[in-house]
Amino acid sequence: MPRAALKRTGTALDDADWRAVTARDPSARGRFVIGVVTTGIYCAPGCPARLPSRGNIRRFADWRAAEAAGFRACLRCLPKADAAELTAVAVVRDAVAAIEAAETRPTLEALAQRAGYSPFHFLRLFKAQTGLTPRGYAEAVSARRLAEAVAEGAGVAEAAFAAGYGSLRGAYAAAGGITPGRARRGGTGETITAAFAESPFGPLLVGATGRGVCFLGFAEPREALMAALRRRYSNATIVADDAALADHLAAVLAFIERPRAGLALPLDLQGTAFQKRVWDALRRIPPGETRSYSDVAAALGRPDAVRAVATACARNPVSLAVPCHRVVGKDGGLHGYRWGLPRKQALLEAEASGAD
């Protein structure tokens, strides 16, 4: 729906509601929702996203009225979620923070006790929210720490044991075959232009070399996205220039709004030969369709490489442009996605809707 049409829906905020929105008052949740006409997104009053101007906000009694007017639910504040769902989200976010902060991998029992649930119930909550078991998430954290440490110059043995691996064999398997020398190069001699924009999924960061886009991330704080870019290209010179990448940013934002239209960007994909083969295969999946990890492995003539395909998807540096969100479990279920399973689901639903 055009923005002008959205602006004619709902009602303007009165002073009391505006105060609740600016204060991000959690007690206002459930009393009304706000639609932001510039993005077409509706939020709960306590949403942590950047505050829009008052003139761009429309008030609705509930989420049903907002959706009837053409607005879509915010994926940060989850305005449709009930109290139980919000509690589950908070529990899993706390567990994820605990895993990230721990020097050694916490056990399922320890995480469940922290959350106040039985191990079985906690495992179900965690997997429903992240698509991974706590152990699987912890292994991904260890793999990331290993790659970062090696890129910063640490020896493989030192980095492996610091990251929580019990053997070098396990560390090399997690590294996907990338040698320490390759990791340490980290963009040496490269100049990467970086640019930010605000998207329906939160902050969006695009990084590009002279050959094309080499990084695309979203849905995290700006400082976290920039830190991820610097970790991946630790030896590169990174220059912030929003204007230089304005066309790339506009293309990504248009894709998020209408994903069936496709996203054509010049890309500079840096990875192993096998990773590049996987990423090329993902780009051949049409919008509105999905493939399983085993489907992708079979298409590459490597039916035995399902785990390697999953690893390549997890290390995709240009999400959306290389649509790893179109890869699902063999049972059709959604599994790990760096930017959050709700966003993966939203992209797939938009692509499947037929809107173009």
Side-chain angles (χ1 to χ4, degrees):
M1 183 179 292
R3 291 177 182 176
L6 291 175
K7 199 163 187 175
R8 290 193 293 270
T9 61
T11 60
L13 291 178
D14 61 26
D15 290 343
D17 288 343
W18 175 241
R19 285 193 296 271
V21 170
T22 55
R24 292 182 166 81
D25 181 2
S27 68
R29 187 183 183 99
R31 290 200 289 111
F32 63 95
V33 300
I34 58 171
V36 183
V37 299
T38 51
T39 63
I41 303 294
Y42 71 90
C43 304
C47 183
R50 179 178 296 182
L51 185 68
S53 65
R54 185 171 180 176
N56 288 327
I57 296 177
R58 306 303 294 168
R59 184 191 192 280
F60 296 92
D62 55 33
W63 64 267
R64 295 176 182 82
E67 292 194 354
F71 289 86
R72 293 173 288 110
C74 174
L75 296 177
R76 298 185 69 182
C77 64
L78 305 175
K80 295 170 65 172
D82 60 23
E85 291 171 320
L86 290 174
T87 298
V89 170
V91 164
V92 173
R93 285 178 177 170
D94 178 73
V96 164
I99 293 171
E100 293 276 359
E103 293 185 4
T104 57
R105 298 175 191 173
T107 65
L108 171 63
E109 290 73 18
L111 291 169
Q113 184 177 20
R114 176 188 177 96
Y117 291 96
S118 70
F120 175 76
H121 191 183
F122 174 77
L123 178 61
R124 289 182 60 189
L125 285 180
F126 194 95
K127 194 166 184 179
Q129 292 290 326
T130 67
L132 298 169
T133 63
R135 179 178 177 178
Y137 190 93
E139 288 175 347
V141 170
S142 295
R144 189 189 72 222
R145 288 175 178 168
L146 172 65
E148 292 169 356
V150 172
E152 291 169 0
V156 175
E158 174 190 356
F161 293 116
Y165 290 96
S167 70
L168 289 179
R169 180 179 181 181
Y172 274 114
I178 298 176
T179 65
R182 180 179 177 86
R184 287 187 186 122
R185 284 198 288 274
T188 298
E190 297 275 11
T191 297
I192 297 175
T193 303
F196 279 104
E198 286 298 318
S199 80
F201 293 146
L204 165 72
L205 174 63
V206 170
T209 66
R211 294 178 295 277
V213 174
C214 62
F215 181 87
L216 200 164
F218 54 96
E220 293 180 351
R222 291 189 174 211
E223 55 272 20
L225 291 172
M226 183 59 77
L229 174 61
R230 293 188 185 280
R231 283 195 301 268
R232 184 175 288 271
Y233 301 102
S234 57
N235 296 322
T237 299
I238 298 178
V239 179
D241 189 341
D242 290 355
L245 298 182
D247 289 345
H248 291 343
L249 290 170
V252 177
L253 292 171
F255 173 80
I256 293 175
E257 289 290 341
R258 294 181 178 274
R260 283 189 67 88
L263 177 57
L265 291 173
L267 300 178
D268 180 9
L269 295 175
Q270 301 179 32
T272 67
F274 182 79
Q275 286 173 338
K276 290 180 179 180
R277 289 183 64 202
V278 173
W279 298 336
D280 285 342
L282 301 189
R283 296 175 71 191
R284 292 193 292 271
I285 303 174
E289 297 183 17
T290 60
R291 301 287 187 273
S292 69
Y293 296 101
S294 55
D295 289 337
V296 176
L300 296 175
R302 291 285 309 278
D304 60 330
V306 175
R307 291 186 64 181
V309 167
T311 298
C313 290
R315 295 196 175 129
N316 169 23
V318 287
S319 297
L320 304 181
V322 171
C324 54
H325 61 276
R326 294 177 191 154
V327 185
V328 298
K330 193 171 184 179
D331 60 356
L334 302 188
H335 298 285
Y337 188 56
R338 161 71 189 275
W339 313 110
L341 291 183
R343 296 170 187 87
K344 182 171 184 172
Q345 182 173 0
L347 288 165
L348 292 176
E349 287 177 349
E351 291 181 349
S353 71
D356 57 9

